[in-house]
Amino acid sequence: MNPTTTRSALVVRGGWEGHRPVEATDLFLPFLHARGFTTRIEDSPAIYADTGYLATVDLVVQCVTMSRIEADQLAGLRSAVAAGTGLAGWHGGIADSYRDSSDYLHLIGGQFACHPGRPPHESVEGEANNFVPYTVNIRPAAADHPIVAGLADFDLVTEQYWVLSDDYVDVLATTTQKVRPGDPWHREVTSPAVWTRRWGRGRIFVATPGHSLDVLGHPSVRTIIERGMLWASR
């Protein structure tokens, strides 16, 4: 796009502080500004109920893990996306938001279920027990998609999201949960790691990597999120 073209991005951040919503979204503000976006920042989904304002927004970047959303707020968000406002996010900030809202899940198309930790014989104290080595596999059928074009499979050591999803997501990359001694599942489980979704005239982008600032700084993760925001924008 022409970098002199002005578009509007709304950044909605909050919820569980463990995902560092302020610092995480701050990482991407310079990128948005350099691509011609003006940005507005809100600390709750209450802004979604302002349907007049939301109609002027080209892109919503959401980073709100868990938390709650009221009926009028969700209705405003769904209507705005259907009318052409893009919606983008990563990790729990979009795939683990508003757990008690089935209508939000319907909009996003995939929901965090768990992130299996290390096997018992490798367990450690604290958050690091949830960090496991895994690969994000770019789907060959999606290799030409502008979000992942030119990227190869890549490895991470962080939370690996097991996602429940439907068939209306367009999966660009996957990750596979292995079966390890002591696991209650009996075969490998492949989940979407990066996906898009069309909703009315709007576009939705989701990447599940992004638990911490170092993961967001991984070159492939950052490239996918930056491209995903541009793809989703009106």
Side-chain angles (χ1 to χ4, degrees):
M1 67 170 281
N2 182 344
T4 64
T5 301
T6 299
R7 288 189 285 181
S8 171
L10 169 65
V11 178
V12 179
R13 59 195 191 185
W16 183 61
E17 286 294 329
H19 283 154
R20 308 278 294 276
V22 172
E23 296 90 338
T25 50
D26 279 352
L27 286 176
F28 295 97
L29 294 181
F31 173 83
L32 291 172
H33 296 156
R35 297 309 186 276
F37 286 88
T38 61
T39 55
R40 173 174 174 176
I41 298 173
E42 295 289 334
D43 61 5
S44 87
I47 188 64
Y48 294 155
D50 187 343
T51 56
Y53 164 68
L54 222 57
T56 71
V57 173
D58 297 302
L59 173 66
V60 174
V61 178
Q62 181 181 276
C63 188
V64 182
T65 303
M66 294 180 281
S67 193
R68 296 180 61 87
I69 191 167
E70 300 300 329
D72 60 338
Q73 297 163 10
L74 180 56
L77 177 63
R78 284 171 59 104
S79 296
V81 173
T85 298
L87 176 60
W90 55 86
H91 202 61
I94 191 167
D96 190 22
S97 309
Y98 322 129
R99 291 179 178 179
D100 62 349
S101 174
S102 60
D103 286 339
Y104 176 78
L105 173 58
H106 187 212
L107 175 67
I108 300 301
Q111 170 66 44
F112 161 81
C114 67
H115 45 66
R118 300 185 185 198
H121 67 281
E122 297 179 7
S123 64
V124 297
E125 291 295 325
E127 180 183 58
N129 197 54
N130 296 321
F131 299 165
V132 298
Y134 70 92
T135 301
V136 175
N137 300 107
I138 308 299
R139 292 189 65 219
D144 293 333
H145 193 284
I147 294 177
V148 295
L151 298 180
D153 298 350
F154 57 95
D155 297 325
L156 297 171
V157 180
T158 184
E159 293 180 348
Q160 183 184 22
Y161 266 21
W162 182 320
V163 170
L164 307 181
S165 62
D166 65 31
D167 192 44
Y168 189 59
V169 294
D170 295 318
V171 180
L172 307 184
T174 63
T175 184
T176 299
Q177 299 279 351
K178 304 298 183 180
V179 181
R180 307 160 306 183
D183 286 334
W185 52 94
H186 301 282
R187 61 176 182 268
E188 293 183 348
V189 178
T190 298
S191 295
V194 180
W195 72 87
T196 63
R197 190 172 179 89
R198 303 286 185 126
W199 196 261
R201 294 197 298 275
R203 295 177 172 190
I204 299 167
F205 158 78
V206 180
T208 62
H211 172 76
S212 54
L213 302 184
D214 62 318
V215 175
L216 291 171
H218 183 285
S220 294
V221 174
R222 182 156 190 151
T223 295
I224 286 170
I225 291 173
E226 290 175 345
R227 291 178 178 179
M229 291 189 297
L230 296 181
W231 178 88
S233 179
R234 190 195 310 273

